Structures are given as structure tokens and as C-alpha cells.
Amino acid sequence: MILLVTNRRDITIDYVVAELKRRQAPFFRLNTEELSTARCTMAAFPRNAWSLSFEGRILQGVDVRAAYFRRPAPPVGNLTISDDGEKEYAGAEWGAFLKSLYARLEGLWLNSPMDIFTAEDKPRQLMLASEIGFNVPQALVTNDIASVREVAQAGPAIGKPLRQALISGDRERVIFTTRLGILRDSDEESIALAPLIAQAEIKKKYDVRVTVVGRQVFATAIKSQEYEETTVDWRQGSRSDLKHECITLPSEVEGQCLALMTRLNLRYGAIDLICDQQDKIWFLEINPNGQWAWIENLTGYPIAAAIVDELEVIASCSS
């Protein structure tokens, strides 16, 4: 059985479910926010001695041969609990159980949660990419206006979040990559609030999203320069008419993408590159658990099939 760890609103996992059904491959979709509705058991040993029962649907550790960590949500506490302290306690206990469950699945993941966590370190990504041989724009991680000015004074520059691009709360909003203008002394206090990445801006011909699954590389050119609002960050404006084209990477760049995956111990990764006006390819970042369904929709790349292929390889090795 292949285990899919996600949440009930995850549309991307539906593509994997459809492919598994097409192959008539057994799977279990675990929507983690529903965990508190289960009856759980976990023995101290052996590793696969655990089970979850959801009103007749039973998941047993002994049956799991491969697992995909997609978009799990925090377990929602039992709705019958009214006391806030008790609700917080129960939620923490379910979170601890889920963490133990993830550890029991080590060696079966497409990407393990721990590898995803360590691979999300953007400064480490830039360091490794440079060591591998990618072209990497000058960048500084800083909350010091003098350091930001150092990058900006060398030429056009952009700023982007170090980790968290979403500001939640009453006015939920996304922080997109932004072109840095003239920095005034009055900006110092705002910049000092939190570290950011200040990076030299590369004049683009187009953006490149490289989806890597195992040793399969799916490269897509995103024609971001055709619209003003997508020039700096192609995600801004949410244009449904943004052109996506299948491309073939230079063999050297494709090799660098695969080398980065190896260094980060990943079987899946979404790598963001830039092609500049002189057709030179630059590395920006990698998302070890990035979205891919829209790429499959717009290009026809068989990404869901590639993911299931990789999961079946893991399953065959664990049998």
C-alpha cells in the first residue's frame, strides 16, 4: 500500500489518486486534520507496529510500502472538548503521535519530512547551488540597511522573504519578490524588523520551473516578461493566460539540477531558474515540496505518473 499524507482540500494529490486508481494500485489517503477521529495504536517495536482506524477504514503500518508527504494539516482536536486548555493539550498529543508516525516511515518517503525541512533553508540552497556550479546571483541575508544598500548599489536588486511569504491574520496577504528602489534612512527601522534576502536582479528573458522526480526532469519556460505585473515575480497577478512552454535544459544545467537533488537527499523538487537576455541560466531556489499540478495541466508533462513510478520503486525496494 502507498500512503498519501495530506489534507482534505489538497487538489494536487487528486492527480496522484487518479493515477493510482488507473493502475489499480492500493493506497490510503490520510487527511491529517481528521486524525483525532481515529482510533490509534503504536507499539514500542517493531517499527511497523502501528495502526489507525477510521470508522472501518484501517491503516496498518505493516501494509505501508511507500509514502508521499504532501500537504498535511495540524490535527483538529475533538470537537466535543470545550475547555481551551484541554483542547490545546489534546491537539499537542495528536501532533506528537503524528510526528512519531512520520519517524516510523523513514526510508519509505518520496521526500522525508526532515529532508524537506532542511532543504527549505534558502541560504543553504544558494551555497550548495554555487558549489555545484550553478550561476547564482549575488545575495545577502540581512536586516541591516547598509548591507541591503551594498547589493542595491551594485545594480538593480530585488528583495524577497527568507522563509515565510504569507502574512496571516485579518488581512491575509502574500509577500512577492519586489524590486528594491531607493533606500532612505527612514527605511532602516522597517528593514531591521526581520531578515530578508537582498539579491542582484537578473534581467530575464523568461522564468524556468524545473520539476524533478527521481531522475526525470521536466523543464517549463514561463513567459513572465509579457506582462508588467509578472516581470519581477511571475506569481503576482495570478494571470491565467501566462504562457508555459516545455523546454529542454542544457545538459550541464540538467546535471546541476540532479546534483542538487542528490545533495539535498530529495526524490522530488521544484527548482526555480531564470534565463537571462543572453540565454544564460541562473539559479534562484528550490522548493522541496512545491506545487506541480498546474504544470501538468498546462504542459501535459506526466508528473503524477512520474511520482507514482517513484513511489512504486520505493515500494518494491521495501517489500
Side-chain angles (χ1 to χ4, degrees):
M1 177 184 289
I2 291 173
L3 175 61
L4 308 175
V5 181
T6 189
N7 69 82
R8 57 175 170 257
R9 292 182 295 178
D10 182 16
I11 297 173
T12 296
I13 205 68
D14 293 340
Y15 288 72
V16 176
V17 167
E19 180 64 20
L20 288 165
K21 288 181 176 178
R22 188 186 70 79
R23 301 187 190 195
Q24 298 183 324
F27 70 93
F28 192 104
R29 176 172 178 162
L30 175 60
N31 296 323
T32 53
E33 70 269 46
E34 301 169 350
L35 191 61
S36 65
T37 65
R39 296 294 181 266
C40 68
T41 302
M42 180 180 290
F45 58 87
R47 179 182 292 268
N48 58 9
W50 58 268
S51 67
L52 294 171
S53 176
F54 295 86
E55 296 183 352
R57 293 173 60 239
I58 299 176
L59 172 64
Q60 294 184 312
V62 70
D63 295 327
V64 178
R65 291 288 177 267
Y68 184 12
F69 186 89
R70 243 300 295 174
R71 282 287 190 273
V76 175
N78 193 305
L79 298 179
T80 63
I81 303 175
S82 58
D83 182 86
D84 288 342
E86 293 175 0
K87 189 178 296 183
E88 183 179 349
Y89 168 82
E93 292 298 284
W94 278 113
F97 179 86
L98 193 57
K99 185 177 179 181
S100 292
L101 183 60
Y102 293 162
R104 295 292 180 102
L105 294 167
E106 200 62 43
L108 302 182
W109 294 109
L110 181 71
N111 284 346
S112 81
M114 185 56 67
D115 287 332
I116 289 172
F117 175 76
T118 55
E120 287 174 335
D121 181 340
K122 288 183 182 178
R124 180 168 177 254
Q125 292 177 14
L126 296 173
M127 178 186 69
L128 292 177
S130 178
E131 291 174 357
I132 287 167
F134 275 109
N135 298 307
V136 179
Q138 178 198 7
L140 288 175
V141 179
T142 183
N143 72 333
D144 182 355
I145 192 170
S147 295
V148 177
R149 280 174 170 154
E150 180 183 330
V151 177
Q153 288 170 359
I158 54 91
K160 61 183 181 179
L162 175 60
R163 173 67 178 86
Q164 178 63 279
L166 179 66
I167 299 178
S168 55
D170 295 337
R171 293 189 306 113
E172 186 173 277
R173 54 207 186 275
V174 176
I175 303 175
F176 294 103
T177 299
T178 303
R179 186 173 285 130
L180 296 176
I182 297 172
L183 294 172
R184 299 175 174 85
D185 291 343
S186 58
D187 295 322
E188 181 174 6
E189 186 175 346
S190 296
I191 289 174
L193 290 175
L196 78 153
I197 299 175
Q199 192 168 51
E201 181 181 5
I202 305 300
K203 190 170 179 59
K204 306 176 190 176
K205 184 185 260 186
Y206 52 81
D207 283 271
V208 182
R209 169 57 75 95
V210 184
T211 309
V212 184
V213 186
R215 305 299 290 179
Q216 298 186 66
V217 178
F218 305 102
T220 304
I222 302 175
K223 299 307 180 70
S224 56
Q225 304 308 288
E226 295 185 0
Y227 304 101
E228 180 63 31
E229 63 265 40
T230 59
T231 299
V232 178
D233 190 328
W234 60 264
R235 301 167 302 167
Q236 195 158 8
S238 301
R239 294 198 66 107
S240 60
D241 56 349
L242 197 60
K243 292 180 183 176
H244 289 58
E245 294 180 4
C246 301
I247 61 171
T248 301
L249 293 173
S251 58
E252 180 184 15
V253 176
E254 181 170 313
Q256 290 165 343
C257 290
L258 292 171
L260 181 62
M261 295 285 290
T262 299
R263 292 285 295 271
L264 293 172
N265 198 32
L266 301 175
R267 292 174 179 263
Y268 170 86
I271 302 173
D272 288 325
L273 307 175
I274 284 175
C275 180
D276 70 13
Q277 297 292 320
Q278 289 72 45
D279 293 323
K280 186 176 180 179
I281 303 293
W282 296 79
F283 174 88
L284 292 184
E285 61 185 62
I286 178 172
N287 187 330
N289 207 17
Q291 301 286 13
W292 52 264
W294 102 94
I295 293 285
E296 180 162 320
N297 278 339
L298 293 177
T299 65
Y301 278 140
I303 299 173
I307 288 172
V308 174
D309 287 344
E310 199 67 19
L311 288 167
E312 289 185 338
V313 168
I314 297 168
S316 64
C317 292
S318 64
S319 298

